[in-house]
Amino acid sequence: MSDATTQKRSKTSGGQTIRPDEAAHFGQLAKDWWDPKGSSAMLHRLNPVRLQFLREAVDLHWASDVEARRPLAGRSALDVGCGAGLLCEPLARLGAEVTGVDAAPENAAAAAVHAEGAGLDIRYMAGEIGDLDIGTFDLVTAMEVIEHVADKRAFVAALAARLAPGGLMVLSTPNRTTQSRLLMIGAAEGLGMIPRGTHHWDDFITPDELGELLDEAGLEMGEPRGIGFSPAKGLHLSNDLALNYIVTARK
């Protein structure tokens, strides 16, 4: 894919962030999103790593009691690109009043059914995040999402608009490196660990690029942490940003 094509695919869409083909792709996975051995198995392995980082970030940002079971009690949380709710449900159990938004209606519906079965009161909706009148939130998350959106600048601006003063944002995404091309697309998709066609390497964004977009949106990016993989540890937080990374942002 040429640089010009990459720019057209990744950065410009007239402000719309949802790609219909991406929404359709993930919508087809809705029925077995919660199956830890199904098409979203890698997300089930990734979720504990993301939650470890997020819990540490929450405790630091709000000076929470690290032993508290519900450090988000009394706070609101928005998860954008929520899928079928893999992150929303833990956020609710941490005490937050949670809203999940996804591009695929099938995912929002599957998420609502699962939350009801788990006895959790979570609001789910589908649509363009910039078009939804949902107010602002203390915590805004978008995990493994920005690499799938049509207009990254508009997406980050929409996230920033949903972040309340004094709030915390947490983002995770693959880095655009040789390692991520080989491991996430060549190996993981090639071996069926991730559904084929899930990722487009040209859409991956580097920490420096993400930092620039956050700065344009009036946000300050924290120090990114890598999410690495090894046969011994599996997926884990790391100082190596080559494969995937997770980061905070604040106004």
Side-chain angles (χ1 to χ4, degrees), residues 136-209:
T136 60
F137 299 81
D138 299 309
L139 174 66
V140 174
T141 60
M143 307 294 202
E144 316 302 313
V145 180
I146 195 170
E147 68 270 22
H148 299 292
V149 305
D151 190 326
K152 291 174 171 45
R153 182 169 285 103
F155 181 70
V156 171
L159 294 180
R162 298 290 170 263
L163 186 64
L168 174 69
M169 185 181 297
V170 180
L171 309 170
S172 67
T173 189
N175 199 352
R176 194 176 66 254
T177 63
T178 301
Q179 293 96 317
S180 68
R181 185 199 288 268
L182 291 174
L183 291 176
M184 295 189 68
I185 298 178
E189 292 195 16
L191 295 173
M193 298 171 67
I194 300 173
R196 190 178 295 274
T198 293
H199 294 117
H200 303 278
W201 183 81
D202 300 276
D203 272 340
F204 289 1
I205 184 171
T206 69
D208 286 344
E209 291 167 346

Side-chain angles (χ1 to χ4, degrees), residues 6-19 128-130 145-162 169 171 203-205 208-219:
T6 300
Q7 290 291 323
K8 182 177 180 181
R9 176 179 169 85
S10 301
K11 304 267 181 91
T12 60
S13 70
Q16 296 299 298
T17 66
I18 293 175
R19 291 187 178 126
E128 183 74 48
I129 184 60
V145 180
I146 195 170
E147 68 270 22
H148 299 292
V149 305
D151 190 326
K152 291 174 171 45
R153 182 169 285 103
F155 181 70
V156 171
L159 294 180
R162 298 290 170 263
M169 185 181 297
L171 309 170
D203 272 340
F204 289 1
I205 184 171
D208 286 344
E209 291 167 346
L210 180 57
E212 290 176 5
L213 292 180
L214 289 167
D215 183 65
E216 288 179 19
L219 300 173

Side-chain angles (χ1 to χ4, degrees), residues 24-110:
H25 171 80
F26 288 105
Q28 291 173 356
L29 307 178
K31 63 183 183 301
D32 66 346
W33 202 287
W34 280 96
D35 181 357
K37 296 182 180 180
S39 57
S40 296
M42 190 60 68
L43 288 179
H44 284 268
R45 297 176 186 175
L46 182 59
N47 216 34
V49 183
R50 301 189 303 197
L51 284 166
Q52 178 188 346
F53 178 92
L54 195 149
R55 176 62 200 255
E56 292 172 359
V58 163
D59 288 343
L60 181 63
H61 184 74
W62 281 296
S64 304
D65 177 359
V66 296
E67 301 296 329
R69 296 183 61 186
R70 293 169 58 83
L72 291 173
R75 304 193 187 277
S76 58
L78 170 67
D79 185 33
V80 181
C82 64
L86 286 186
L87 185 64
C88 287
E89 294 198 7
L91 290 178
R93 291 189 174 96
L94 289 174
E97 182 179 336
V98 182
T99 296
V101 174
D102 200 81
E106 300 93 334
N107 286 338

Side-chain angles (χ1 to χ4, degrees), residues 222-235:
E223 189 69 26
R225 292 289 310 278
I227 298 177
F229 175 80
S230 72
K233 294 183 178 180
L235 291 167

